[in-house]
PDB file of all heavy atoms in Angstrom:
ATOM      1  N   ALA A   1     -40.620  63.630  16.184  1.00  0.00           N
ATOM      2  CA  ALA A   1     -40.421  62.356  15.486  1.00  0.00           C
ATOM      3  C   ALA A   1     -41.427  61.267  15.859  1.00  0.00           C
ATOM      4  O   ALA A   1     -41.830  60.494  14.996  1.00  0.00           O
ATOM      5  CB  ALA A   1     -39.001  61.854  15.713  1.00  0.00           C
ATOM      6  N   PRO A   2     -41.885  61.172  17.130  1.00  0.00           N
ATOM      7  CA  PRO A   2     -42.810  60.105  17.474  1.00  0.00           C
ATOM      8  C   PRO A   2     -44.129  60.144  16.719  1.00  0.00           C
ATOM      9  O   PRO A   2     -44.854  59.164  16.688  1.00  0.00           O
ATOM     10  CB  PRO A   2     -43.060  60.306  18.973  1.00  0.00           C
ATOM     11  CG  PRO A   2     -41.871  61.022  19.459  1.00  0.00           C
ATOM     12  CD  PRO A   2     -41.417  61.875  18.317  1.00  0.00           C
ATOM     13  N   LEU A   3     -44.464  61.259  16.074  1.00  0.00           N
ATOM     14  CA  LEU A   3     -45.710  61.334  15.320  1.00  0.00           C
ATOM     15  C   LEU A   3     -45.710  60.360  14.150  1.00  0.00           C
ATOM     16  O   LEU A   3     -46.766  59.950  13.689  1.00  0.00           O
ATOM     17  CB  LEU A   3     -45.925  62.767  14.806  1.00  0.00           C
ATOM     18  CG  LEU A   3     -46.073  63.847  15.867  1.00  0.00           C
ATOM     19  CD1 LEU A   3     -46.160  65.218  15.204  1.00  0.00           C
ATOM     20  CD2 LEU A   3     -47.286  63.593  16.732  1.00  0.00           C
ATOM     21  N   ILE A   4     -44.553  59.978  13.695  1.00  0.00           N
ATOM     22  CA  ILE A   4     -44.425  59.105  12.535  1.00  0.00           C
ATOM     23  C   ILE A   4     -44.378  57.634  12.955  1.00  0.00           C
ATOM     24  O   ILE A   4     -44.661  56.754  12.174  1.00  0.00           O
ATOM     25  CB  ILE A   4     -43.140  59.485  11.754  1.00  0.00           C
ATOM     26  CG1 ILE A   4     -43.192  60.962  11.379  1.00  0.00           C
ATOM     27  CG2 ILE A   4     -42.956  58.631  10.532  1.00  0.00           C
ATOM     28  CD1 ILE A   4     -41.870  61.532  10.927  1.00  0.00           C
ATOM     29  N   VAL A   5     -44.057  57.366  14.195  1.00  0.00           N
ATOM     30  CA  VAL A   5     -43.822  56.013  14.691  1.00  0.00           C
ATOM     31  C   VAL A   5     -45.112  55.446  15.295  1.00  0.00           C
ATOM     32  O   VAL A   5     -45.898  56.173  15.880  1.00  0.00           O
ATOM     33  CB  VAL A   5     -42.699  56.060  15.750  1.00  0.00           C
ATOM     34  CG1 VAL A   5     -42.450  54.707  16.354  1.00  0.00           C
ATOM     35  CG2 VAL A   5     -41.433  56.598  15.117  1.00  0.00           C
ATOM     36  N   PRO A   6     -45.338  54.135  15.170  1.00  0.00           N
ATOM     37  CA  PRO A   6     -46.530  53.522  15.754  1.00  0.00           C
ATOM     38  C   PRO A   6     -46.631  53.744  17.269  1.00  0.00           C
ATOM     39  O   PRO A   6     -45.633  53.938  17.957  1.00  0.00           O
ATOM     40  CB  PRO A   6     -46.346  52.026  15.451  1.00  0.00           C
ATOM     41  CG  PRO A   6     -45.370  51.961  14.344  1.00  0.00           C
ATOM     42  CD  PRO A   6     -44.513  53.189  14.449  1.00  0.00           C
ATOM     43  N   ILE A   7     -47.861  53.672  17.780  1.00  0.00           N
ATOM     44  CA  ILE A   7     -48.153  53.962  19.186  1.00  0.00           C
ATOM     45  C   ILE A   7     -47.355  53.122  20.180  1.00  0.00           C
ATOM     46  O   ILE A   7     -46.891  53.663  21.174  1.00  0.00           O
ATOM     47  CB  ILE A   7     -49.671  53.848  19.452  1.00  0.00           C
ATOM     48  CG1 ILE A   7     -50.364  54.981  18.715  1.00  0.00           C
ATOM     49  CG2 ILE A   7     -49.991  53.881  20.928  1.00  0.00           C
ATOM     50  CD1 ILE A   7     -51.861  54.921  18.743  1.00  0.00           C
ATOM     51  N   PRO A   8     -47.153  51.814  19.981  1.00  0.00           N
ATOM     52  CA  PRO A   8     -46.388  51.057  20.985  1.00  0.00           C
ATOM     53  C   PRO A   8     -44.994  51.606  21.246  1.00  0.00           C
ATOM     54  O   PRO A   8     -44.455  51.475  22.330  1.00  0.00           O
ATOM     55  CB  PRO A   8     -46.310  49.647  20.410  1.00  0.00           C
ATOM     56  CG  PRO A   8     -47.437  49.549  19.462  1.00  0.00           C
ATOM     57  CD  PRO A   8     -47.659  50.933  18.929  1.00  0.00           C
ATOM     58  N   PHE A   9     -44.427  52.228  20.245  1.00  0.00           N
ATOM     59  CA  PHE A   9     -43.087  52.773  20.412  1.00  0.00           C
ATOM     60  C   PHE A   9     -43.096  54.175  21.008  1.00  0.00           C
ATOM     61  O   PHE A   9     -42.054  54.737  21.296  1.00  0.00           O
ATOM     62  CB  PHE A   9     -42.337  52.791  19.079  1.00  0.00           C
ATOM     63  CG  PHE A   9     -42.107  51.417  18.531  1.00  0.00           C
ATOM     64  CD1 PHE A   9     -42.800  50.979  17.411  1.00  0.00           C
ATOM     65  CD2 PHE A   9     -41.213  50.544  19.142  1.00  0.00           C
ATOM     66  CE1 PHE A   9     -42.596  49.711  16.909  1.00  0.00           C
ATOM     67  CE2 PHE A   9     -41.000  49.277  18.643  1.00  0.00           C
ATOM     68  CZ  PHE A   9     -41.697  48.854  17.526  1.00  0.00           C
ATOM     69  N   SER A  10     -44.281  54.755  21.199  1.00  0.00           N
ATOM     70  CA  SER A  10     -44.338  56.132  21.693  1.00  0.00           C
ATOM     71  C   SER A  10     -43.816  56.250  23.121  1.00  0.00           C
ATOM     72  O   SER A  10     -43.311  57.298  23.503  1.00  0.00           O
ATOM     73  CB  SER A  10     -45.759  56.689  21.597  1.00  0.00           C
ATOM     74  OG  SER A  10     -46.601  56.049  22.515  1.00  0.00           O
ATOM     75  N   PHE A  11     -43.943  55.183  23.929  1.00  0.00           N
ATOM     76  CA  PHE A  11     -43.392  55.253  25.278  1.00  0.00           C
ATOM     77  C   PHE A  11     -41.871  55.402  25.244  1.00  0.00           C
ATOM     78  O   PHE A  11     -41.300  56.082  26.074  1.00  0.00           O
ATOM     79  CB  PHE A  11     -43.787  54.035  26.114  1.00  0.00           C
ATOM     80  CG  PHE A  11     -45.177  54.136  26.642  1.00  0.00           C
ATOM     81  CD1 PHE A  11     -46.150  53.261  26.221  1.00  0.00           C
ATOM     82  CD2 PHE A  11     -45.514  55.126  27.554  1.00  0.00           C
ATOM     83  CE1 PHE A  11     -47.441  53.366  26.697  1.00  0.00           C
ATOM     84  CE2 PHE A  11     -46.804  55.235  28.040  1.00  0.00           C
ATOM     85  CZ  PHE A  11     -47.770  54.349  27.606  1.00  0.00           C
ATOM     86  N   TYR A  12     -41.241  54.762  24.259  1.00  0.00           N
ATOM     87  CA  TYR A  12     -39.803  54.944  24.092  1.00  0.00           C
ATOM     88  C   TYR A  12     -39.496  56.420  23.881  1.00  0.00           C
ATOM     89  O   TYR A  12     -38.628  56.985  24.527  1.00  0.00           O
ATOM     90  CB  TYR A  12     -39.283  54.126  22.905  1.00  0.00           C
ATOM     91  CG  TYR A  12     -37.953  54.621  22.397  1.00  0.00           C
ATOM     92  CD1 TYR A  12     -36.781  54.316  23.076  1.00  0.00           C
ATOM     93  CD2 TYR A  12     -37.866  55.422  21.263  1.00  0.00           C
ATOM     94  CE1 TYR A  12     -35.558  54.782  22.630  1.00  0.00           C
ATOM     95  CE2 TYR A  12     -36.651  55.893  20.817  1.00  0.00           C
ATOM     96  CZ  TYR A  12     -35.502  55.571  21.500  1.00  0.00           C
ATOM     97  OH  TYR A  12     -34.303  56.040  21.056  1.00  0.00           O
ATOM     98  N   PHE A  13     -40.238  57.042  22.971  1.00  0.00           N
ATOM     99  CA  PHE A  13     -39.983  58.447  22.675  1.00  0.00           C
ATOM    100  C   PHE A  13     -40.356  59.347  23.841  1.00  0.00           C
ATOM    101  O   PHE A  13     -39.677  60.323  24.117  1.00  0.00           O
ATOM    102  CB  PHE A  13     -40.738  58.880  21.414  1.00  0.00           C
ATOM    103  CG  PHE A  13     -40.096  58.369  20.166  1.00  0.00           C
ATOM    104  CD1 PHE A  13     -40.673  57.344  19.440  1.00  0.00           C
ATOM    105  CD2 PHE A  13     -38.903  58.899  19.725  1.00  0.00           C
ATOM    106  CE1 PHE A  13     -40.080  56.874  18.290  1.00  0.00           C
ATOM    107  CE2 PHE A  13     -38.283  58.427  18.578  1.00  0.00           C
ATOM    108  CZ  PHE A  13     -38.884  57.416  17.859  1.00  0.00           C
ATOM    109  N   ASP A  14     -41.451  59.017  24.525  1.00  0.00           N
ATOM    110  CA  ASP A  14     -41.889  59.863  25.637  1.00  0.00           C
ATOM    111  C   ASP A  14     -40.929  59.813  26.810  1.00  0.00           C
ATOM    112  O   ASP A  14     -40.664  60.826  27.440  1.00  0.00           O
ATOM    113  CB  ASP A  14     -43.289  59.447  26.114  1.00  0.00           C
ATOM    114  CG  ASP A  14     -44.363  59.863  25.130  1.00  0.00           C
ATOM    115  OD1 ASP A  14     -44.081  60.737  24.290  1.00  0.00           O
ATOM    116  OD2 ASP A  14     -45.474  59.322  25.215  1.00  0.00           O
ATOM    117  N   ILE A  15     -40.407  58.651  27.111  1.00  0.00           N
ATOM    118  CA  ILE A  15     -39.550  58.519  28.295  1.00  0.00           C
ATOM    119  C   ILE A  15     -38.074  58.595  27.913  1.00  0.00           C
ATOM    120  O   ILE A  15     -37.389  59.558  28.251  1.00  0.00           O
ATOM    121  CB  ILE A  15     -39.843  57.196  29.046  1.00  0.00           C
ATOM    122  CG1 ILE A  15     -41.282  57.200  29.555  1.00  0.00           C
ATOM    123  CG2 ILE A  15     -38.872  57.001  30.199  1.00  0.00           C
ATOM    124  CD1 ILE A  15     -41.750  55.878  30.097  1.00  0.00           C
ATOM    125  N   PHE A  16     -37.594  57.582  27.220  1.00  0.00           N
ATOM    126  CA  PHE A  16     -36.164  57.482  26.940  1.00  0.00           C
ATOM    127  C   PHE A  16     -35.667  58.627  26.069  1.00  0.00           C
ATOM    128  O   PHE A  16     -34.721  59.325  26.417  1.00  0.00           O
ATOM    129  CB  PHE A  16     -35.858  56.128  26.291  1.00  0.00           C
ATOM    130  CG  PHE A  16     -34.408  55.906  26.019  1.00  0.00           C
ATOM    131  CD1 PHE A  16     -33.522  55.691  27.067  1.00  0.00           C
ATOM    132  CD2 PHE A  16     -33.910  55.927  24.728  1.00  0.00           C
ATOM    133  CE1 PHE A  16     -32.176  55.487  26.832  1.00  0.00           C
ATOM    134  CE2 PHE A  16     -32.575  55.728  24.480  1.00  0.00           C
ATOM    135  CZ  PHE A  16     -31.699  55.507  25.535  1.00  0.00           C
ATOM    136  N   ASP A  17     -36.303  58.827  24.935  1.00  0.00           N
ATOM    137  CA  ASP A  17     -35.839  59.854  24.013  1.00  0.00           C
ATOM    138  C   ASP A  17     -36.026  61.254  24.601  1.00  0.00           C
ATOM    139  O   ASP A  17     -35.188  62.130  24.395  1.00  0.00           O
ATOM    140  CB  ASP A  17     -36.566  59.744  22.665  1.00  0.00           C
ATOM    141  CG  ASP A  17     -35.889  60.554  21.589  1.00  0.00           C
ATOM    142  OD1 ASP A  17     -34.665  60.398  21.421  1.00  0.00           O
ATOM    143  OD2 ASP A  17     -36.571  61.367  20.945  1.00  0.00           O
ATOM    144  N   GLY A  18     -37.096  61.467  25.354  1.00  0.00           N
ATOM    145  CA  GLY A  18     -37.311  62.767  25.987  1.00  0.00           C
ATOM    146  C   GLY A  18     -36.206  63.113  26.963  1.00  0.00           C
ATOM    147  O   GLY A  18     -35.731  64.251  27.011  1.00  0.00           O
ATOM    148  N   LEU A  19     -35.777  62.133  27.746  1.00  0.00           N
ATOM    149  CA  LEU A  19     -34.690  62.364  28.702  1.00  0.00           C
ATOM    150  C   LEU A  19     -33.339  62.483  27.996  1.00  0.00           C
ATOM    151  O   LEU A  19     -32.494  63.280  28.394  1.00  0.00           O
ATOM    152  CB  LEU A  19     -34.659  61.251  29.750  1.00  0.00           C
ATOM    153  CG  LEU A  19     -35.872  61.208  30.682  1.00  0.00           C
ATOM    154  CD1 LEU A  19     -35.786  60.016  31.614  1.00  0.00           C
ATOM    155  CD2 LEU A  19     -36.007  62.505  31.460  1.00  0.00           C
ATOM    156  N   ILE A  20     -33.157  61.701  26.940  1.00  0.00           N
ATOM    157  CA  ILE A  20     -31.919  61.784  26.169  1.00  0.00           C
ATOM    158  C   ILE A  20     -31.794  63.171  25.532  1.00  0.00           C
ATOM    159  O   ILE A  20     -30.713  63.756  25.512  1.00  0.00           O
ATOM    160  CB  ILE A  20     -31.856  60.681  25.084  1.00  0.00           C
ATOM    161  CG1 ILE A  20     -31.660  59.322  25.727  1.00  0.00           C
ATOM    162  CG2 ILE A  20     -30.765  60.964  24.060  1.00  0.00           C
ATOM    163  CD1 ILE A  20     -30.325  59.133  26.420  1.00  0.00           C
ATOM    164  N   GLN A  21     -32.898  63.709  25.036  1.00  0.00           N
ATOM    165  CA  GLN A  21     -32.842  65.028  24.417  1.00  0.00           C
ATOM    166  C   GLN A  21     -32.516  66.113  25.440  1.00  0.00           C
ATOM    167  O   GLN A  21     -31.788  67.057  25.135  1.00  0.00           O
ATOM    168  CB  GLN A  21     -34.142  65.341  23.682  1.00  0.00           C
ATOM    169  CG  GLN A  21     -34.308  64.536  22.419  1.00  0.00           C
ATOM    170  CD  GLN A  21     -33.039  64.514  21.587  1.00  0.00           C
ATOM    171  OE1 GLN A  21     -32.463  65.555  21.274  1.00  0.00           O
ATOM    172  NE2 GLN A  21     -32.577  63.329  21.232  1.00  0.00           N
ATOM    173  N   ALA A  22     -33.043  65.987  26.640  1.00  0.00           N
ATOM    174  CA  ALA A  22     -32.684  66.933  27.704  1.00  0.00           C
ATOM    175  C   ALA A  22     -31.186  66.832  27.981  1.00  0.00           C
ATOM    176  O   ALA A  22     -30.497  67.847  28.099  1.00  0.00           O
ATOM    177  CB  ALA A  22     -33.487  66.636  28.975  1.00  0.00           C
ATOM    178  N   TYR A  23     -30.693  65.609  28.068  1.00  0.00           N
ATOM    179  CA  TYR A  23     -29.274  65.371  28.314  1.00  0.00           C
ATOM    180  C   TYR A  23     -28.416  65.973  27.206  1.00  0.00           C
ATOM    181  O   TYR A  23     -27.444  66.681  27.467  1.00  0.00           O
ATOM    182  CB  TYR A  23     -29.025  63.862  28.445  1.00  0.00           C
ATOM    183  CG  TYR A  23     -27.569  63.480  28.440  1.00  0.00           C
ATOM    184  CD1 TYR A  23     -26.796  63.633  29.583  1.00  0.00           C
ATOM    185  CD2 TYR A  23     -26.954  62.991  27.299  1.00  0.00           C
ATOM    186  CE1 TYR A  23     -25.452  63.301  29.586  1.00  0.00           C
ATOM    187  CE2 TYR A  23     -25.615  62.657  27.286  1.00  0.00           C
ATOM    188  CZ  TYR A  23     -24.871  62.808  28.433  1.00  0.00           C
ATOM    189  OH  TYR A  23     -23.543  62.490  28.423  1.00  0.00           O
ATOM    190  N   VAL A  24     -28.761  65.701  25.959  1.00  0.00           N
ATOM    191  CA  VAL A  24     -27.966  66.177  24.824  1.00  0.00           C
ATOM    192  C   VAL A  24     -27.954  67.706  24.789  1.00  0.00           C
ATOM    193  O   VAL A  24     -26.902  68.320  24.587  1.00  0.00           O
ATOM    194  CB  VAL A  24     -28.493  65.591  23.493  1.00  0.00           C
ATOM    195  CG1 VAL A  24     -27.895  66.293  22.290  1.00  0.00           C
ATOM    196  CG2 VAL A  24     -28.223  64.100  23.423  1.00  0.00           C
ATOM    197  N   PHE A  25     -29.106  68.322  25.002  1.00  0.00           N
ATOM    198  CA  PHE A  25     -29.192  69.782  24.949  1.00  0.00           C
ATOM    199  C   PHE A  25     -28.285  70.427  25.991  1.00  0.00           C
ATOM    200  O   PHE A  25     -27.484  71.298  25.673  1.00  0.00           O
ATOM    201  CB  PHE A  25     -30.645  70.221  25.163  1.00  0.00           C
ATOM    202  CG  PHE A  25     -30.873  71.690  24.940  1.00  0.00           C
ATOM    203  CD1 PHE A  25     -31.250  72.151  23.698  1.00  0.00           C
ATOM    204  CD2 PHE A  25     -30.711  72.605  25.970  1.00  0.00           C
ATOM    205  CE1 PHE A  25     -31.462  73.508  23.481  1.00  0.00           C
ATOM    206  CE2 PHE A  25     -30.916  73.957  25.773  1.00  0.00           C
ATOM    207  CZ  PHE A  25     -31.294  74.406  24.516  1.00  0.00           C
ATOM    208  N   VAL A  26     -28.391  69.988  27.237  1.00  0.00           N
ATOM    209  CA  VAL A  26     -27.578  70.618  28.288  1.00  0.00           C
ATOM    210  C   VAL A  26     -26.120  70.163  28.204  1.00  0.00           C
ATOM    211  O   VAL A  26     -25.226  70.924  28.567  1.00  0.00           O
ATOM    212  CB  VAL A  26     -28.152  70.394  29.707  1.00  0.00           C
ATOM    213  CG1 VAL A  26     -29.479  71.106  29.856  1.00  0.00           C
ATOM    214  CG2 VAL A  26     -28.279  68.942  30.043  1.00  0.00           C
ATOM    215  N   PHE A  27     -25.864  68.974  27.714  1.00  0.00           N
ATOM    216  CA  PHE A  27     -24.491  68.503  27.527  1.00  0.00           C
ATOM    217  C   PHE A  27     -23.776  69.384  26.508  1.00  0.00           C
ATOM    218  O   PHE A  27     -22.654  69.843  26.743  1.00  0.00           O
ATOM    219  CB  PHE A  27     -24.485  67.032  27.083  1.00  0.00           C
ATOM    220  CG  PHE A  27     -23.120  66.441  26.940  1.00  0.00           C
ATOM    221  CD1 PHE A  27     -22.415  66.018  28.051  1.00  0.00           C
ATOM    222  CD2 PHE A  27     -22.533  66.302  25.690  1.00  0.00           C
ATOM    223  CE1 PHE A  27     -21.144  65.466  27.934  1.00  0.00           C
ATOM    224  CE2 PHE A  27     -21.271  65.760  25.554  1.00  0.00           C
ATOM    225  CZ  PHE A  27     -20.570  65.338  26.681  1.00  0.00           C
ATOM    226  N   LEU A  28     -24.428  69.633  25.376  1.00  0.00           N
ATOM    227  CA  LEU A  28     -23.832  70.498  24.366  1.00  0.00           C
ATOM    228  C   LEU A  28     -23.670  71.921  24.876  1.00  0.00           C
ATOM    229  O   LEU A  28     -22.648  72.562  24.638  1.00  0.00           O
ATOM    230  CB  LEU A  28     -24.676  70.484  23.091  1.00  0.00           C
ATOM    231  CG  LEU A  28     -24.635  69.198  22.279  1.00  0.00           C
ATOM    232  CD1 LEU A  28     -25.629  69.255  21.125  1.00  0.00           C
ATOM    233  CD2 LEU A  28     -23.233  68.930  21.766  1.00  0.00           C
TER     234      LEU A  28
END
């Protein structure tokens, strides 16, 4: 998804969203 979003927001996807996705995957 971050490929579609402007560069300033990529840190959100790299850090927060990346960790959230790890959490969601193992939580499920």
